[in-house]
Amino acid sequence: MEYRRLGESGLMVPALSFGAGTFGGRGELFGAWGDTDETQARRLVDISLEAGVNMFDTADVYSGGASEEVLGAALKGRRDQVIISTKAGLPTGDGPADAGTSRARLIKAVDQALGRLGTDYIDLFQLHAYDARTPVHEVLSTLDDLVRAGKLRYTGVSNFSGWQLMKSLADADRHGYQRYAAHQVYYSLVGRDYEWELMPLGLDQGVGAVVWSPLGWGRLTGRIRRGRPLPAGSRLHATADYGPPVDDDHLYRVVDALDAVAEETGRTVPQIAINWLLRRPTVSSVLIGARNEEQLRQNLGAVGWSLTEDQVTRLDAASAKAAPYPYFPYERQEGFARVNPHPLTRAGAARASGLDRSTGARGRGIVSAVLKNAGASEINTGRTG
Protein backbone atom coordinates (compact mmCIF):
# COMPACT_ATOMS: atom_id res chain seq x y z
CA MET A 1 0.00 0.00 0.00
CA GLU A 2 1.21 3.47 -0.88
CA TYR A 3 0.93 6.16 1.80
CA ARG A 4 0.50 9.83 1.02
CA ARG A 5 0.46 13.09 2.93
CA LEU A 6 -3.02 14.41 3.58
CA GLY A 7 -2.69 17.72 1.75
CA GLU A 8 0.13 19.71 3.29
CA SER A 9 -0.43 18.25 6.77
CA GLY A 10 1.90 15.79 8.45
CA LEU A 11 -0.72 13.02 8.49
CA MET A 12 0.16 10.06 6.27
CA VAL A 13 -2.87 8.24 4.88
CA PRO A 14 -3.18 5.14 2.68
CA ALA A 15 -3.95 5.61 -1.01
CA LEU A 16 -7.06 3.51 -0.37
CA SER A 17 -9.19 3.98 2.74
CA PHE A 18 -12.24 2.04 3.87
CA GLY A 19 -15.65 3.74 3.78
CA ALA A 20 -17.93 2.31 6.47
CA GLY A 21 -21.22 3.54 5.00
CA THR A 22 -22.37 -0.08 4.71
CA PHE A 23 -21.99 -0.65 8.46
CA GLY A 24 -25.24 -0.71 10.44
CA GLY A 25 -27.73 -0.76 7.58
CA ARG A 26 -30.53 1.36 9.03
CA GLY A 27 -32.96 3.48 7.05
CA GLU A 28 -33.98 3.60 3.39
CA LEU A 29 -30.73 4.98 2.01
CA PHE A 30 -28.14 3.26 4.19
CA GLY A 31 -30.09 0.03 4.35
CA ALA A 32 -29.75 -0.14 0.56
CA TRP A 33 -25.99 0.40 0.86
CA GLY A 34 -25.51 -2.62 3.12
CA ASP A 35 -26.22 -4.06 6.55
CA THR A 36 -22.79 -5.13 7.82
CA ASP A 37 -22.93 -6.21 11.45
CA GLU A 38 -20.13 -6.21 14.04
CA THR A 39 -18.82 -9.69 13.20
CA GLN A 40 -18.75 -9.00 9.47
CA ALA A 41 -17.21 -5.58 10.04
CA ARG A 42 -14.40 -7.06 12.10
CA ARG A 43 -13.54 -9.40 9.21
CA LEU A 44 -13.53 -6.53 6.70
CA VAL A 45 -11.27 -4.54 9.03
CA ASP A 46 -8.93 -7.54 9.29
CA ILE A 47 -8.64 -7.78 5.51
CA SER A 48 -8.13 -4.03 5.18
CA LEU A 49 -5.33 -3.92 7.74
CA GLU A 50 -3.61 -6.92 6.14
CA ALA A 51 -3.57 -4.94 2.88
CA GLY A 52 -2.23 -1.77 4.57
CA VAL A 53 -5.56 0.08 4.57
CA ASN A 54 -5.52 1.72 7.99
CA MET A 55 -7.93 4.67 7.57
CA PHE A 56 -11.64 4.07 8.18
CA ASP A 57 -14.25 6.71 7.37
CA THR A 58 -17.78 7.06 8.72
CA ALA A 59 -20.26 9.78 9.77
CA ASP A 60 -22.85 10.46 12.45
CA VAL A 61 -25.71 10.30 9.91
CA TYR A 62 -24.71 6.91 8.52
CA SER A 63 -27.49 4.59 9.72
CA GLY A 64 -28.32 7.05 12.48
CA GLY A 65 -24.96 6.59 14.22
CA ALA A 66 -24.95 2.79 13.90
CA SER A 67 -22.07 2.91 11.42
CA GLU A 68 -19.86 4.62 14.03
CA GLU A 69 -20.95 2.10 16.67
CA VAL A 70 -20.20 -0.93 14.48
CA LEU A 71 -16.88 0.53 13.34
CA GLY A 72 -15.86 1.30 16.93
CA ALA A 73 -16.63 -2.28 17.98
CA ALA A 74 -14.73 -3.70 15.01
CA LEU A 75 -11.66 -1.61 15.85
CA LYS A 76 -11.67 -2.47 19.56
CA GLY A 77 -8.23 -3.48 20.77
CA ARG A 78 -6.34 -1.97 17.83
CA ARG A 79 -7.01 1.75 18.11
CA ASP A 80 -3.31 2.58 17.81
CA GLN A 81 -3.13 0.83 14.42
CA VAL A 82 -5.76 2.89 12.66
CA ILE A 83 -6.81 6.36 11.54
CA ILE A 84 -10.46 7.13 12.31
CA SER A 85 -12.21 9.65 10.09
CA THR A 86 -15.76 10.80 10.74
CA LYS A 87 -18.08 13.65 9.85
CA ALA A 88 -20.88 15.76 11.35
CA GLY A 89 -23.05 18.70 10.38
CA LEU A 90 -26.02 17.19 8.53
CA PRO A 91 -29.37 16.93 10.34
CA THR A 92 -29.68 14.11 12.86
CA GLY A 93 -33.15 15.13 14.09
CA ASP A 94 -35.98 17.59 13.61
CA GLY A 95 -35.03 20.03 16.38
CA PRO A 96 -33.47 23.45 15.71
CA ALA A 97 -30.20 22.35 17.30
CA ASP A 98 -30.05 19.03 15.44
CA ALA A 99 -28.34 20.37 12.32
CA GLY A 100 -25.41 22.56 11.37
CA THR A 101 -22.03 23.33 12.87
CA SER A 102 -22.65 25.86 15.63
CA ARG A 103 -20.34 25.79 18.65
CA ALA A 104 -22.90 23.94 20.78
CA ARG A 105 -23.68 21.40 18.10
CA LEU A 106 -20.05 20.68 17.20
CA ILE A 107 -19.05 20.09 20.82
CA LYS A 108 -22.03 17.79 21.30
CA ALA A 109 -21.47 15.98 17.98
CA VAL A 110 -17.82 15.30 18.74
CA ASP A 111 -18.56 13.99 22.23
CA GLN A 112 -21.30 11.72 20.89
CA ALA A 113 -19.08 10.43 18.08
CA LEU A 114 -16.30 9.66 20.57
CA GLY A 115 -18.78 7.64 22.61
CA ARG A 116 -20.10 5.67 19.65
CA LEU A 117 -16.61 5.00 18.32
CA GLY A 118 -15.29 3.98 21.73
CA THR A 119 -12.26 6.27 21.56
CA ASP A 120 -11.01 9.44 23.22
CA TYR A 121 -9.82 11.16 20.03
CA ILE A 122 -10.69 11.36 16.34
CA ASP A 123 -7.82 11.49 13.85
CA LEU A 124 -9.71 13.34 11.10
CA PHE A 125 -12.96 15.19 11.77
CA GLN A 126 -14.76 16.72 8.79
CA LEU A 127 -17.74 19.02 8.43
CA HIS A 128 -20.22 17.05 6.32
CA ALA A 129 -21.71 20.18 4.75
CA TYR A 130 -21.36 23.96 4.77
CA ASP A 131 -23.56 25.59 7.41
CA ALA A 132 -24.73 28.93 6.00
CA ARG A 133 -26.34 29.92 9.31
CA THR A 134 -23.21 29.80 11.47
CA PRO A 135 -20.35 32.31 11.10
CA VAL A 136 -17.18 30.75 9.77
CA HIS A 137 -15.22 32.25 12.66
CA GLU A 138 -17.42 30.41 15.19
CA VAL A 139 -16.94 27.10 13.39
CA LEU A 140 -13.17 27.42 13.12
CA SER A 141 -12.65 28.64 16.68
CA THR A 142 -14.69 25.72 18.01
CA LEU A 143 -12.74 23.18 15.98
CA ASP A 144 -9.49 24.77 17.10
CA ASP A 145 -10.60 24.44 20.73
CA LEU A 146 -11.44 20.77 20.17
CA VAL A 147 -8.02 20.16 18.64
CA ARG A 148 -6.31 21.87 21.58
CA ALA A 149 -8.42 19.76 23.95
CA GLY A 150 -7.01 16.62 22.33
CA LYS A 151 -10.35 15.39 21.02
CA LEU A 152 -9.46 15.98 17.36
CA ARG A 153 -6.12 15.64 15.58
CA TYR A 154 -6.88 17.02 12.10
CA THR A 155 -9.89 18.73 10.56
CA GLY A 156 -11.42 18.92 7.12
CA VAL A 157 -14.62 19.53 5.21
CA SER A 158 -16.84 17.69 2.77
CA ASN A 159 -19.03 18.88 -0.09
CA PHE A 160 -17.94 22.53 0.12
CA SER A 161 -17.89 24.88 -2.86
CA GLY A 162 -14.70 26.70 -3.75
CA TRP A 163 -15.68 30.01 -2.14
CA GLN A 164 -16.87 28.30 1.04
CA LEU A 165 -13.59 26.45 1.47
CA MET A 166 -11.45 29.48 0.58
CA LYS A 167 -13.37 31.72 2.98
CA SER A 168 -12.73 29.20 5.74
CA LEU A 169 -9.03 28.86 4.98
CA ALA A 170 -8.59 32.64 4.88
CA ASP A 171 -10.26 33.01 8.27
CA ALA A 172 -8.08 30.25 9.71
CA ASP A 173 -4.95 32.02 8.45
CA ARG A 174 -6.15 35.39 9.77
CA HIS A 175 -6.73 34.12 13.30
CA GLY A 176 -4.13 31.37 13.54
CA TYR A 177 -6.61 28.49 13.70
CA GLN A 178 -5.81 25.03 12.41
CA ARG A 179 -6.37 24.89 8.66
CA TYR A 180 -8.46 22.23 6.99
CA ALA A 181 -6.20 19.44 5.76
CA ALA A 182 -8.79 17.50 3.79
CA HIS A 183 -11.74 17.98 1.51
CA GLN A 184 -13.90 14.87 1.14
CA VAL A 185 -15.31 15.13 -2.37
CA TYR A 186 -17.24 13.29 -5.03
CA TYR A 187 -14.93 12.50 -7.95
CA SER A 188 -15.14 9.73 -10.52
CA LEU A 189 -14.78 9.00 -14.21
CA VAL A 190 -18.47 9.88 -14.62
CA GLY A 191 -18.28 12.90 -12.32
CA ARG A 192 -15.27 15.17 -12.91
CA ASP A 193 -16.73 18.49 -11.70
CA TYR A 194 -14.14 18.48 -8.90
CA GLU A 195 -11.50 19.36 -11.48
CA TRP A 196 -12.89 22.78 -12.40
CA GLU A 197 -12.58 24.74 -9.15
CA LEU A 198 -11.83 22.48 -6.21
CA MET A 199 -8.77 20.72 -7.62
CA PRO A 200 -6.88 23.96 -8.45
CA LEU A 201 -7.92 25.35 -5.04
CA GLY A 202 -6.69 22.21 -3.27
CA LEU A 203 -3.41 22.41 -5.14
CA ASP A 204 -2.90 26.09 -4.36
CA GLN A 205 -3.92 25.81 -0.70
CA GLY A 206 -2.49 22.38 0.13
CA VAL A 207 -5.82 20.67 0.83
CA GLY A 208 -5.86 16.94 0.05
CA ALA A 209 -8.84 15.25 -1.56
CA VAL A 210 -10.41 12.23 0.10
CA VAL A 211 -12.61 10.84 -2.65
CA TRP A 212 -16.05 9.40 -1.95
CA SER A 213 -18.07 7.25 -4.39
CA PRO A 214 -15.18 6.61 -6.81
CA LEU A 215 -17.44 4.26 -8.80
CA GLY A 216 -19.96 6.97 -9.60
CA TRP A 217 -22.61 6.03 -7.04
CA GLY A 218 -22.43 2.35 -8.01
CA ARG A 219 -22.50 2.88 -11.79
CA LEU A 220 -18.94 1.71 -12.51
CA THR A 221 -19.20 -1.73 -10.94
CA GLY A 222 -18.83 -3.52 -14.27
CA ARG A 223 -22.40 -4.77 -14.15
CA ILE A 224 -24.10 -1.87 -15.96
CA ARG A 225 -23.89 -2.10 -19.73
CA ARG A 226 -25.41 -0.40 -22.76
CA GLY A 227 -28.70 -1.97 -23.84
CA ARG A 228 -29.14 -4.01 -20.67
CA PRO A 229 -31.59 -3.45 -17.80
CA LEU A 230 -30.27 -2.35 -14.42
CA PRO A 231 -29.17 -5.50 -12.53
CA ALA A 232 -31.71 -6.68 -9.96
CA GLY A 233 -29.21 -6.40 -7.10
CA SER A 234 -28.03 -2.87 -7.92
CA ARG A 235 -28.49 -0.38 -5.11
CA LEU A 236 -29.35 2.23 -7.76
CA HIS A 237 -32.95 0.97 -7.71
CA ALA A 238 -33.30 2.50 -4.25
CA THR A 239 -30.61 5.19 -4.16
CA ALA A 240 -30.29 6.77 -7.63
CA ASP A 241 -32.29 9.86 -6.65
CA TYR A 242 -29.99 10.54 -3.67
CA GLY A 243 -26.74 10.57 -5.63
CA PRO A 244 -25.06 12.52 -8.42
CA PRO A 245 -26.94 12.47 -11.75
CA VAL A 246 -25.24 10.86 -14.74
CA ASP A 247 -26.49 11.01 -18.31
CA ASP A 248 -26.92 7.50 -19.75
CA ASP A 249 -25.04 8.22 -22.99
CA HIS A 250 -22.11 9.64 -21.04
CA LEU A 251 -22.12 6.65 -18.67
CA TYR A 252 -22.09 4.13 -21.50
CA ARG A 253 -19.31 5.98 -23.31
CA VAL A 254 -17.16 5.75 -20.17
CA VAL A 255 -18.09 2.11 -19.57
CA ASP A 256 -17.14 1.24 -23.16
CA ALA A 257 -13.71 2.81 -22.62
CA LEU A 258 -13.30 0.99 -19.30
CA ASP A 259 -14.25 -2.32 -20.93
CA ALA A 260 -11.58 -1.82 -23.59
CA VAL A 261 -8.91 -1.12 -20.96
CA ALA A 262 -10.12 -4.07 -18.88
CA GLU A 263 -9.60 -6.38 -21.83
CA GLU A 264 -6.07 -5.03 -22.31
CA THR A 265 -5.03 -5.21 -18.67
CA GLY A 266 -6.97 -8.16 -17.28
CA ARG A 267 -8.21 -5.84 -14.52
CA THR A 268 -11.82 -5.25 -13.51
CA VAL A 269 -13.81 -2.12 -14.33
CA PRO A 270 -13.82 -0.94 -10.67
CA GLN A 271 -10.07 -1.48 -10.36
CA ILE A 272 -9.40 0.61 -13.46
CA ALA A 273 -11.76 3.39 -12.38
CA ILE A 274 -10.07 3.64 -8.98
CA ASN A 275 -6.54 3.40 -10.41
CA TRP A 276 -7.36 6.31 -12.73
CA LEU A 277 -8.35 8.42 -9.72
CA LEU A 278 -5.13 7.62 -7.86
CA ARG A 279 -3.15 9.38 -10.61
CA ARG A 280 -5.03 12.66 -10.29
CA PRO A 281 -3.52 15.77 -8.64
CA THR A 282 -4.46 16.51 -5.00
CA VAL A 283 -5.94 13.03 -4.41
CA SER A 284 -4.64 11.86 -1.03
CA SER A 285 -6.92 8.86 -0.56
CA VAL A 286 -9.82 7.11 -2.29
CA LEU A 287 -12.57 5.63 -0.13
CA ILE A 288 -13.57 2.10 -1.07
CA GLY A 289 -16.67 0.49 0.37
CA ALA A 290 -17.70 -3.15 0.38
CA ARG A 291 -20.71 -5.20 1.37
CA ASN A 292 -18.63 -8.37 1.58
CA GLU A 293 -15.11 -9.81 1.40
CA GLU A 294 -15.28 -10.39 -2.36
CA GLN A 295 -16.05 -6.75 -3.11
CA LEU A 296 -13.34 -5.56 -0.74
CA ARG A 297 -10.64 -7.80 -2.19
CA GLN A 298 -11.59 -6.75 -5.71
CA ASN A 299 -11.34 -3.06 -4.83
CA LEU A 300 -8.00 -3.61 -3.11
CA GLY A 301 -6.72 -4.80 -6.49
CA ALA A 302 -6.82 -1.20 -7.70
CA VAL A 303 -3.30 -0.58 -6.33
CA GLY A 304 0.09 -2.10 -7.10
CA TRP A 305 -0.01 -1.42 -10.84
CA SER A 306 -0.46 1.53 -13.19
CA LEU A 307 -2.43 2.39 -16.28
CA THR A 308 -0.36 3.30 -19.33
CA GLU A 309 -0.27 6.87 -20.57
CA ASP A 310 -2.30 5.86 -23.62
CA GLN A 311 -4.97 4.20 -21.47
CA VAL A 312 -5.25 7.27 -19.24
CA THR A 313 -5.59 9.51 -22.29
CA ARG A 314 -8.42 7.37 -23.67
CA LEU A 315 -10.25 7.32 -20.36
CA ASP A 316 -9.81 11.09 -20.10
CA ALA A 317 -11.29 11.58 -23.55
CA ALA A 318 -14.25 9.26 -22.96
CA SER A 319 -15.14 10.92 -19.66
CA ALA A 320 -14.61 14.53 -20.76
CA LYS A 321 -17.48 17.03 -20.61
CA ALA A 322 -17.66 20.66 -21.69
CA ALA A 323 -16.48 23.08 -19.04
CA PRO A 324 -19.08 25.49 -17.58
CA TYR A 325 -18.49 29.23 -17.30
CA PRO A 326 -16.15 30.74 -16.15
CA TYR A 327 -13.91 27.77 -16.91
CA PHE A 328 -14.56 27.13 -20.59
CA PRO A 329 -12.43 30.04 -21.91
CA TYR A 330 -9.40 28.52 -20.17
CA GLU A 331 -10.11 25.20 -21.87
CA ARG A 332 -11.00 26.51 -25.33
CA GLN A 333 -8.80 29.58 -25.92
CA GLU A 334 -5.03 29.57 -25.92
CA GLY A 335 -4.70 33.06 -24.45
CA PHE A 336 -6.73 32.18 -21.38
CA ALA A 337 -4.94 28.86 -20.92
CA ARG A 338 -1.58 30.57 -21.21
CA VAL A 339 -2.16 32.85 -18.22
CA ASN A 340 -4.04 30.30 -16.10
CA PRO A 341 -3.32 26.71 -17.23
CA HIS A 342 -5.19 23.86 -15.58
CA PRO A 343 -3.08 21.65 -13.28
CA LEU A 344 -3.85 18.63 -15.50
CA THR A 345 -1.69 20.13 -18.28
CA ARG A 346 2.10 20.37 -18.50
CA ALA A 347 1.89 24.14 -18.29
CA GLY A 348 -0.29 23.89 -15.23
CA ALA A 349 2.12 21.47 -13.59
CA ALA A 350 5.01 23.84 -14.28
CA ARG A 351 3.04 26.71 -12.76
CA ALA A 352 2.29 24.57 -9.70
CA SER A 353 5.97 23.76 -9.37
CA GLY A 354 6.82 27.47 -9.45
CA LEU A 355 4.12 28.17 -6.87
CA ASP A 356 5.59 25.51 -4.61
CA ARG A 357 9.07 27.03 -4.82
CA SER A 358 7.85 30.56 -4.19
CA THR A 359 5.53 29.85 -1.28
CA GLY A 360 7.32 27.03 0.47
CA ALA A 361 4.66 25.06 2.29
CA ARG A 362 1.59 25.78 0.16
CA GLY A 363 1.07 22.92 -2.26
CA ARG A 364 4.10 21.01 -1.01
CA GLY A 365 3.70 17.25 -1.37
CA ILE A 366 1.03 17.63 -4.06
CA VAL A 367 3.09 19.16 -6.85
CA SER A 368 5.03 15.95 -7.50
CA ALA A 369 1.77 14.19 -8.29
CA VAL A 370 0.82 16.96 -10.71
CA LEU A 371 4.14 16.72 -12.52
CA LYS A 372 3.84 12.94 -12.76
CA ASN A 373 0.30 13.17 -14.07
CA ALA A 374 0.98 15.99 -16.52
CA GLY A 375 3.72 13.98 -18.18
CA ALA A 376 1.07 11.67 -19.60
CA SER A 377 -0.06 14.10 -22.28
CA GLU A 378 -0.03 17.76 -23.19
CA ILE A 379 -3.71 18.11 -22.30
CA ASN A 380 -4.62 15.33 -19.93
CA THR A 381 -8.20 16.46 -19.38
CA GLY A 382 -9.40 15.01 -22.67
CA ARG A 383 -10.77 18.42 -23.66
CA THR A 384 -9.64 21.03 -26.12
CA GLY A 385 -7.26 23.47 -24.49
Side-chain angles (χ1 to χ4, degrees):
M1 181 60 60
E2 175 191 357
Y3 296 88
R4 304 174 173 189
R5 289 179 62 192
L6 182 61
E8 66 173 22
S9 78
L11 182 62
M12 300 296 294
V13 296
L16 298 180
S17 296
F18 187 92
T22 57
F23 288 8
R26 297 179 188 169
E28 180 182 359
L29 174 60
F30 297 105
W33 281 13
D35 57 355
T36 304
D37 61 23
E38 181 181 329
T39 301
Q40 296 167 326
R42 189 173 292 110
R43 179 58 183 153
L44 295 178
V45 169
D46 288 341
I47 296 170
S48 297
L49 290 176
E50 289 169 5
V53 174
N54 67 340
M55 185 162 87
F56 298 86
D57 180 76
T58 181
D60 62 356
V61 294
Y62 293 173
S63 294
S67 174
E68 289 181 326
E69 293 173 352
V70 172
L71 177 61
L75 295 177
K76 189 174 182 179
R78 41 191 173 183
R79 178 63 182 92
D80 60 344
Q81 302 176 39
V82 302
I83 298 169
I84 293 179
S85 163
T86 193
K87 302 177 289 293
L90 289 175
T92 55
D94 297 327
D98 292 334
T101 55
S102 67
R103 174 173 287 271
R105 176 129 201 279
L106 279 177
I107 293 172
K108 181 179 179 180
V110 168
D111 286 341
Q112 290 177 334
L114 291 172
R116 287 189 292 264
L117 289 162
T119 183
D120 57 1
Y121 69 95
I122 294 167
D123 298 282
L124 175 61
F125 181 79
Q126 295 139 115
L127 308 181
H128 213 155
Y130 182 77
D131 178 6
R133 303 175 307 172
T134 303
V136 167
H137 181 76
E138 179 178 334
V139 176
L140 289 166
S141 64
T142 304
L143 292 174
D144 198 65
D145 288 344
L146 290 166
V147 170
R148 293 176 186 277
K151 294 183 178 183
L152 309 177
R153 297 284 173 85
Y154 294 90
T155 61
V157 298
S158 182
N159 307 311
F160 273 37
S161 68
W163 75 264
Q164 291 163 353
L165 178 54
M166 192 62 241
K167 180 177 181 179
S168 302
L169 293 171
D171 196 77
D173 289 343
R174 184 179 303 114
H175 299 285
Y177 299 139
Q178 177 162 317
R179 301 177 104 247
Y180 294 137
H183 191 185
Q184 193 168 136
V185 299
Y186 169 61
Y187 188 22
S188 77
L189 268 167
V190 291
R192 295 175 58 183
D193 296 334
Y194 169 74
E195 295 175 1
W196 300 125
E197 178 80 11
L198 297 174
M199 177 184 285
L201 190 157
L203 178 66
D204 181 71
Q205 293 295 310
V207 179
V210 177
V211 177
W212 60 264
S213 204
L215 302 183
W217 203 251
R219 294 179 174 90
L220 302 180
T221 60
R223 298 190 300 147
I224 298 177
R225 292 286 189 281
R226 189 189 303 272
R228 299 182 189 176
L230 193 65
S234 173
R235 75 182 192 193
L236 285 167
H237 290 288
T239 67
D241 290 342
Y242 291 97
V246 180
D247 177 77
D248 283 347
D249 288 339
H250 182 66
L251 170 63
Y252 296 139
R253 185 165 59 249
V254 172
V255 169
D256 288 345
L258 283 165
D259 281 339
V261 175
E263 186 174 350
E264 296 167 7
T265 61
R267 302 286 178 173
T268 67
V269 165
Q271 289 170 348
I272 295 165
I274 295 170
N275 190 276
W276 177 87
L277 278 170
L278 292 172
R279 298 173 57 101
R280 313 307 276 184
T282 72
V283 172
S284 294
S285 191
V286 174
L287 295 172
I288 57 172
R291 298 183 185 181
N292 51 53
E293 292 186 31
E294 180 184 358
Q295 285 185 349
L296 177 55
R297 292 189 187 280
Q298 181 183 119
N299 289 337
L300 289 171
V303 297
W305 60 281
S306 295
L307 293 163
T308 66
E309 294 179 2
D310 175 68
Q311 290 164 347
V312 171
T313 299
R314 284 185 281 143
L315 291 172
D316 286 348
S319 60
K321 298 190 79 171
Y325 180 79
Y327 312 110
F328 72 77
Y330 300 92
E331 293 292 326
R332 293 171 177 263
Q333 298 182 36
E334 182 181 355
F336 281 86
R338 182 177 175 184
V339 297
N340 186 28
H342 195 277
L344 287 174
T345 65
R346 277 202 185 95
R351 176 179 177 272
S353 181
L355 175 69
D356 185 53
R357 286 193 300 270
S358 65
T359 60
R362 196 69 69 235
R364 188 174 56 216
I366 297 178
V367 170
S368 60
V370 182
L371 292 169
K372 178 181 178 182
N373 183 77
S377 60
E378 179 60 31
I379 301 290
N380 217 14
T381 58
R383 310 175 182 88
T384 33

